[in-house]
Amino acid sequence: MSSKADSISTQQWAQLQKIFDQAMELPAEKRASYVELACDGDEKLRKQTDALVIAADADEELVGDLIRTAADQVLEKSTKTRSQIGSFKVIDVIGTGGMGVVYLGQRIDDEYKQQVAIKILHDGLDSEEALLRFKTERQILANLSHPNIARLLDGGQTEDGLPYLIMEYIDGVPLVAYCDQRRLNVSKRLDLFKQVCSAVASAHRSLVVHRDIKPGNILVDSNGVPKLLDFGIAKVLSNRFEQSDLAKTQLGDRLLTPDYASPEQVQGGAITTSSDIYSLGVLLYQLLCGTRPFRLVNKTPAEMEKIIISETPLPPSKAVGTVKERTDASRAIAADRRNITVDRLQRRLAGELDYIVLMALKKEPQRRYVSASQLAADITRYQKGQPIIAVRDTRRYVAKKFIQRNKIPAAAAVVLIGSLLGFSLMMYQQAKTIAFEKSVSENALDFLTEVFESSTPGALQKEVVTAIDILDVGASRVEQQLQEQPAPRATLQRIIGLAYASNNRTEKAYVHLRQALEIRTELNGIDHPYTADILQNLANLHLSEGQVEQALPLFKQALDVFRNSVSKRFFKTNKSKGQRAIKVVLADLSIAYRSVGKLELAEQYQRDAL
């Protein structure tokens, strides 16, 4: 492919890439026949594609050499045919992508000196789809104004009809390389990253998702200011530009960068601002520990997709020291580039920085940071020694995952501890107001004793007694023995309902929570915090089942009750408890609205919670 006779045009190169990518997704024995069919008699194209396929099976570096050679030929052809674009003369080629070339340009007239970056479509890639994508990028840039986003200065068409963009020229270095070359410590890296978050947040406020956030698209200029570039595959979240969603998401189409792409991108799912949050998480991971969350080298597109979707990344602090592929020398280099030792870097990243990065990298979009601004704010809180959002989310999630992995022992623990705690609290409160302390204690002890005596293998005629068996016995005993004691019955039925819910016994959970709600409403009224607790439990159960419409009114009703209760007697001695209750419901409402894509409402409730 290096000889003049074998030179390849831009259009042929695009066709070759597509056939090669699709061939590599097939079993090895079917690739040759597919390439022959796809090339449709073009012998030159078939030979070039076969060469790439054979090389890919044998040597990853050889594939890279072949691709670079082809790309160099494309650039050589483009450079020779472009000496002037608009009112700027072409100085040099400074970058290339799958669809276009970026030149360094300089004004032709002598009015004033100005260097610019000129982006233009490759010759031959002037299809209707390519033109629309290019024009959409131009319109996006025209509507973005932020100190950390490269500015659009002008645009137009060449004499042969190809569109071009005149952009601010950033004489800079890619973000990660900039930090490494200057041996910036963790704090300075975080400060630069927050500026990138600010740029992304600005784009999101304009309803633009970048979709290709990576170090190469963030240049740091001579003043140390990072600039976000290349909105070529950005997605507009409204139809105001009359843009169809052109940017494909298949790995084989090379319109995303797998190392930085979110799970929903590689699956072809719905793309929202959360996709950029994930990419920011990958970028932050690399800035902090010197590697990316997943190793995708030498992997097929299908293997990449599986890894991104299903594998859980190591915390950055662990990636510094425990990744098998990293030698002692590479770890030492990574630490030295952060002006620190390996051990100290691990300690610095462990804990809250791990939590922040991993929250941005959640597989589920709704569980990531709500916005780039929220991610940056959490970093600021970390730097100031304040509590961060990510820790709370992680602990709750770890607890939930533990219960899912250990359903039987966890459910037994919930029943036992919950019952003891519920009865202890009940007995303490009643002991202060009535004169039957002894009888209440004895009744509680009798109830617990009977539950466990009735749950032996002999009593249940079973070889092995599970936690669900004990739970069923307790549920039955509550209904039978506490008919005349509504307060303890409501407390226990709520605990049992939550235990059933944690063990995926949804129907039984609904029954006990609704009965607890009915009793509490009759005892304390609908406007009592005890009642609001159960409303919130029911709402979360609906939400876990994806029943957002049923969950929302219950959350809002609980919120109203808690807010009213703060100023009433119930919370007079402990207002912070009431405020915590309000905060939790607000956060739940934010999660509910985020799960159905109502991001403005989600952000509103999250801000109220903060």
Side-chain angles (χ1 to χ4, degrees), residues 49-93:
T49 310
D50 280 341
L52 282 182
V53 171
I54 293 169
D57 288 331
D59 189 339
E60 176 84 9
E61 292 185 4
L62 179 57
V63 176
D65 292 339
L66 289 168
I67 290 174
R68 281 190 292 274
T69 300
D72 288 343
Q73 291 170 357
V74 171
L75 283 175
E76 183 181 1
K77 178 178 182 295
S78 299
T79 305
K80 288 179 179 178
T81 57
R82 300 289 174 191
S83 60
Q84 179 178 336
I85 299 175
S87 58
F88 295 87
K89 64 179 178 180
V90 173
I91 305 298
D92 198 2
V93 176

Side-chain angles (χ1 to χ4, degrees), residues 509-520:
Y510 277 127
V511 169
H512 286 277
L513 287 175
R514 285 169 182 154
Q515 288 179 355
L517 177 63
E518 183 179 338
I519 296 169
R520 277 296 175 199

Side-chain angles (χ1 to χ4, degrees), residues 439-603:
S439 62
V440 170
S441 300
E442 288 176 352
N443 288 339
L445 184 59
D446 288 344
F447 178 84
L448 288 174
T449 302
E450 288 185 20
V451 167
F452 287 102
E453 284 181 348
S454 303
S455 302
T456 62
L460 294 177
Q461 297 181 347
K462 297 179 71 172
E463 291 185 8
V464 178
V465 176
T466 67
I468 291 298
D469 293 329
I470 300 174
L471 193 55
D472 288 339
V473 170
S476 175
R477 292 278 177 175
V478 165
E479 294 179 5
Q480 293 172 9
Q481 296 182 212
L482 298 179
Q483 288 286 350
E484 306 302 322
Q485 300 178 59
R489 180 182 174 186
T491 299
L492 275 175
Q493 287 208 278
R494 175 174 175 251
I495 293 170
I496 290 171
L498 293 175
Y500 274 128
S502 71
N503 207 49
N504 295 325
R505 301 298 199 274
T506 307
E507 291 303 320
K508 289 185 176 182
Y510 277 127
V511 169
H512 286 277
L513 287 175
R514 285 169 182 154
Q515 288 179 355
L517 177 63
E518 183 179 338
I519 296 169
R520 277 296 175 199
T521 302
E522 187 174 337
L523 279 176
N524 307 106
I526 195 64
D527 294 326
H528 195 281
Y530 286 167
T531 310
D533 282 336
I534 305 174
L535 289 170
Q536 187 178 0
N537 297 149
L538 276 168
N540 273 309
L541 187 56
H542 281 299
L543 188 59
S544 70
E545 294 292 304
Q547 301 164 355
V548 180
E549 290 185 3
Q550 292 92 327
L552 286 174
L554 295 174
F555 278 135
K556 291 178 180 178
Q557 190 176 0
L559 179 61
D560 289 339
V561 173
F562 285 134
R563 280 177 166 164
N564 291 334
S565 299
V566 167
S567 59
K568 293 181 180 179
R569 183 178 180 182
F570 187 86
F571 286 130
K572 270 192 175 180
T573 58
N574 190 357
K575 282 193 176 183
S576 62
K577 180 179 179 181
Q579 294 292 348
R580 283 196 300 273
I582 292 170
K583 178 187 68 176
V584 172
V585 181
L586 287 169
D588 287 340
L589 276 164
S590 175
I591 293 170
Y593 278 116
R594 187 170 54 184
S595 70
V596 291
K598 296 184 177 180
L599 300 184
E600 289 185 6
L601 284 170
E603 182 174 357

Side-chain angles (χ1 to χ4, degrees), residues 132 184 208 476 589:
L132 179 56
L184 296 188
V208 173
S476 175
L589 276 164

